[in-house]
Amino acid sequence: MTRQDLKTNDHDPVQSLRAHGVRLGQRQGDRLQWLSRTFGPVVHCDDLPPPGRGRTIVLIDPPTGAGAELLYGALTSHDAVVIPFGENPAFDFLKSKLTEFGTVGTSADGPHELWWGGRNWPAPDAAPATAMRVVSCHPTTVGDLHVYHLRRSLQRLGLPFDIEAIDRRPGERLSAADKADFIARMWQRNREPLLYVEADVMFQAPPDLPHLAGCDFAVHKWNGWEMSPRTLYFGRSKAAGTMLTTWREIASSYPDIWDGYQIDQAWSAVSSQIALDTVWLPRSYHAVAGEAGVRNATIVHNLKPTKADLGPDSDFSEVARSPRRAGRVGALESLLVVRSKVKSGRGVTVILRDVGSSSARAAADSIEKLTSAFVADCGGFGRLELSLCSWQPEVRIAREAALLADNMVLEIIPGQELPANLFAATATSGAAHRPATFNAHRR
């Protein structure tokens, strides 16, 4: 992984995408600039130059199955693939062939999920500019022998760390809230980014990847969808602090929910409201002792080698599996939450349905128009919640969730013409007096 600077005569990749009808927010633009410096110049998928030292390949329209195969075959380990409309499930097949590197969430100025990945994570070739701090905690009842390998490996690598024993009764495990509280204390006490690991792990190499990437949050997805609470990175940004605070609140409020799902829900909530820059850590950060290839891993976890899920229930959060494998939110969750300046508890949920049978550009255009319309005239609503649905069962799930929140519900089809005063008209309309250009539902 190189860290070349853009040449002064190179074009601005953000402006280049804007010319192709792609609207990026500030954080997403920063990530694209980083990718162009790290992997190579931004090029478009339909006009690929020959492989060189690396390319940042932008894919605006979802490829066919054959097209995905051809693109995969044309990639090298030095290339990155960027999907500016990463929220669209039409890209899921291509994503399944690639290794996902990261996601940048939505915001009012960038209402799409920016997804980036490639064949495999390249190895860093430079040390981070500033060190991160490794933190870990364990119950007092397990003793120092439990953290022996962790402490020795960190000392050998010269990494700064804090390992804390938390008072517990014999046999009592630390809860997710305990761990979140501990990380929050460390985040307030120190100025470095934090990498939290469980106390029974061992480091074999410096964990440079998340810090080199300059992300807000990093986590490994076990089995491709299940967020593991055993390795968590928090940067020093406001977004990172929001992610930590949200996870801490969920862990405290819902202590009976499995740790990984608490993190999952915190990620979903935060990435729909701010441009949370997430890195999906490779398996080398979550290697299991005894596995093949563990010798080359960065972090080795003291777990039994198994193909089973980390969670206690293999059917837990089944609805979220397919979207998480593609690094995106699902129909039950909001892709985008925009809050207005109006102090009101009233919310409106817009369901963009039939996304699977519409073009990615049409869906993206509707997302941008809906967001812009709400920012221009919120109609007295305090917040907009936007959900994407491909099939009717997903529409039903999204509608039920919105009505449970006592939101007004609109169903929109990609490419549908919308009135300029959409939300003002919605606020004053009833089920029997709704504008003909969209469907409105109210409890």
Side-chain angles (χ1 to χ4, degrees), residues 400-442:
E400 290 175 354
L403 294 179
L404 284 174
D406 203 26
N407 285 2
M408 174 76 84
V409 182
L410 306 180
E411 293 182 20
I412 305 294
I413 298 173
Q416 181 175 341
E417 291 294 328
L418 303 174
N421 63 337
L422 171 64
F423 294 101
T426 300
T428 58
S429 67
H433 302 89
R434 59 179 181 264
T437 51
F438 56 89
N439 299 322
H441 300 270
R442 182 182 295 181

Side-chain angles (χ1 to χ4, degrees), residues 264-345:
D264 181 286
Q265 292 302 286
W267 178 84
S268 172
V270 174
S271 62
S272 68
Q273 300 181 61
I274 58 178
L276 183 71
D277 193 340
T278 302
V279 160
W280 305 115
L281 294 173
R283 187 56 185 271
S284 61
Y285 279 66
H286 208 290
V288 175
E291 282 184 327
V294 73
R295 183 176 300 178
N296 298 321
T298 300
I299 305 174
V300 181
H301 295 251
N302 185 23
L303 298 171
K304 293 181 179 179
T306 176
K307 293 183 179 179
D309 296 338
L310 283 177
D313 185 351
S314 61
D315 295 324
F316 195 71
S317 185
E318 189 171 354
V319 174
R321 291 191 181 195
S322 179
R324 290 301 182 270
R325 286 192 181 101
R328 60 179 176 84
V329 298
L332 186 60
E333 305 154 316
S334 297
L335 164 70
L336 174 68
V337 177
V338 180
R339 299 189 182 277
S340 71
K341 297 181 180 179
V342 176
K343 294 182 179 180
S344 170

Side-chain angles (χ1 to χ4, degrees), residues 1-2 121-127 206 208-209 212 285:
M1 183 181 298
T2 62
W121 269 110
D125 66 351
D208 293 338
L209 180 58
L212 277 173
Y285 279 66

